[in-house]
Amino acid sequence: MATILTGPGLASGADFETLTELWSLSFGAPAPIIRNIQTLVADTDRTVVYREDGKAVAGAYLLETTLHIGDETYSAYYFFAAATHPDFRRKGYMGQVIRYCRTLCEERNIDFLILVPTDNDLYKYFSRFGFRANFYLKTTQLDREQLAAMVEKMEPAEEETPAEDTGFVPVDIPPIRHAALQGGSYVEFDRQALQYLFFEHVYRGGQSILLDDGYVLYDLATDDTGDTVLTVRELCTADSQATLLRKLSEVDADQYVLNLPAFDSLRGGRTSTGRAGMDLAVSKRAVKAERTMKNAYIGLTIG
C-alpha cells in the first residue's frame, strides 16, 4: 500500500526517527527513553501520523490494553505521546490523527480509546472529540506522624522478604496488580508494558519497594520549604497494605503523598479526588458499559 503523502495514516518504519525528534521536541524526553518505548511497546500497526508532503509532522501511539468494568473486560487502545511539530500546529492535524484512531478502533472492533490529558486545556480539547473524564485518582497527603499512626491502626501483616530490585518486573507483578485493582474499574497493562513502565520509572530516578505479594513505586523530591516529599506513583498488593505502608514510613521523608485508585478504601490524612484520564466509548457495547463506569483507574502512564 502506498504511503499517503498528505493526510492521516499508519506510520512506516521510516517514520520512527522523525517521530523520535518530534517527541523530544514536544516533551523534552531523552532519545534513549523514546527509542525504548518504540522498541518495546510501539508498532507501525498502532502508530498514527499526519504527513504533509510525505513527512510526519504530527503523530500518536496506541498501546493495546484491557479495560475492566465490573466483571466484564473490554478491548482498549491507550492513546499516548500525541504531538505536533511547532511549525504545523493550529491546522487541525492532531484532530485528524484522533479521528483516524477512532476509525481504527471501529475497524478492529476495539471497544475504547483511552488517554491521560496533562492539563485542563487538554481535557477541554479532547472533550470536543467525545472523550469523557471517567478516570479519577485519590490523593492522600500525610506527614510522618500521621502515616505512622495509620500503619499502627492497620491489621498487622506478616513480615515479607523484599524481592530483588533489579529494575525489572518480577514474574508475579501482573496478577498482583489485578488482585489489587479488581474491586473497581481499571486499565490492565500486559507484562511487556508493565516491564517498560517499571524500567522507565527506574531510569528517571524513581524508587521502588518490591515484595513477593506487592509493590510500590515512588519518587523523592524537595519542595520549596525544604521538606522531603515522598510521592507514590502506584501501590498495589494482593493482601493487606500494612506491610507496604510500614516500609514506606521507614523511608526518610517529611511528607507522604499517596496516589491511589479513587475506589481504594484507605482513609486518613488530607484527601482529595481529581481527574486522571478520559475515555471514548467506540463500540455499542462500550457505550452501554460506560454508563456503569465510576472512578475508573489508569495509574501508571507512559512517556
Side-chain angles (χ1 to χ4, degrees):
M1 183 182 293
T3 300
I4 297 173
L5 293 179
T6 298
L10 289 174
S12 68
D15 289 316
F16 278 100
E17 190 59 39
T18 302
L19 289 170
T20 299
E21 296 172 6
L22 178 59
W23 190 333
S24 182
L25 182 64
S26 299
F27 305 113
I33 280 281
I34 302 167
R35 292 195 180 100
N36 271 307
I37 293 174
Q38 291 174 337
T39 299
L40 293 174
V41 298
D43 187 278
T44 54
D45 196 45
R46 289 180 281 100
T47 303
V48 177
V49 297
Y50 186 95
R51 295 187 183 88
E52 187 166 285
D53 295 328
K55 182 179 179 179
V57 296
Y61 300 81
L62 300 170
L63 176 67
E64 282 187 301
T65 60
T66 300
L67 177 60
H68 293 259
I69 304 177
D71 296 328
E72 299 294 326
T73 58
Y74 300 83
S75 58
Y77 276 160
Y78 174 66
F79 176 98
F80 69 99
T84 303
H85 191 283
D87 294 343
F88 296 89
R89 290 173 184 167
R90 300 188 182 280
K91 293 187 176 185
Y93 292 171
M94 184 52 62
Q96 294 203 47
V97 168
I98 294 168
R99 293 185 184 96
Y100 191 90
C101 288
R102 175 170 186 156
T103 298
L104 282 183
C105 289
E106 292 170 346
E107 292 175 350
R108 298 174 180 180
N109 296 316
I110 301 296
D111 296 310
F112 284 94
L113 194 56
I114 295 167
L115 53 82
V116 180
T118 55
D119 57 42
N120 287 333
D121 287 341
L122 286 175
Y123 273 95
K124 293 177 183 177
Y125 175 76
F126 286 113
S127 68
R128 288 162 43 190
F129 299 93
F131 285 87
R132 295 183 178 181
N134 282 318
F135 293 87
Y136 286 82
L137 198 65
K138 180 172 72 175
T139 300
T140 297
Q141 301 182 32
L142 310 102
D143 59 28
R144 176 179 286 278
E145 291 73 23
Q146 288 173 317
L147 180 58
M150 176 185 289
V151 172
E152 185 69 26
K153 292 178 182 177
M154 298 182 79
E155 211 140 315
E158 291 185 13
E159 181 67 25
E160 292 191 48
T161 303
E164 182 182 0
D165 185 358
T166 62
F168 294 93
V169 182
V171 173
D172 58 353
I173 286 294
I176 285 174
R177 193 173 188 270
H178 173 68
L181 300 174
Q182 64 180 340
S185 300
Y186 72 97
V187 174
E188 177 186 3
F189 296 106
D190 66 19
R191 189 175 304 278
Q192 188 172 19
L194 281 173
Q195 175 73 64
Y196 175 75
L197 289 163
F198 272 60
F199 160 79
E200 182 182 286
H201 176 72
V202 172
Y203 183 90
R204 292 181 181 277
Q207 307 292 315
S208 63
I209 297 170
L210 304 177
L211 303 177
D212 290 337
D213 199 27
Y215 66 89
V216 57
L217 305 182
Y218 66 91
D219 298 309
L220 286 171
T222 303
D223 67 12
D224 294 338
T225 68
D227 281 352
T228 299
V229 181
L230 183 155
T231 302
V232 169
R233 288 192 63 204
E234 182 161 280
L235 185 154
C236 287
T237 176
D239 199 0
S240 168
Q241 295 174 327
T243 301
L244 282 173
L245 289 174
R246 176 162 51 79
K247 289 188 176 297
L248 271 183
S249 71
E250 294 168 359
V251 178
D252 188 16
D254 302 296
Q255 301 291 329
Y256 300 81
V257 179
L258 313 181
N259 289 307
L260 302 167
F263 53 80
D264 189 278
S265 60
L266 190 71
R267 296 289 182 271
R270 225 169 46 246
T271 299
S272 61
T273 301
R275 297 179 299 186
M278 305 180 82
D279 74 87
L280 175 64
V282 179
S283 68
K284 290 182 180 179
R285 178 173 179 254
V287 170
K288 182 177 180 181
E290 189 186 41
R291 301 185 191 119
T292 68
M293 283 179 67
K294 184 179 180 182
N295 293 331
Y297 176 75
I298 294 178
L300 299 172
T301 56
I302 296 178

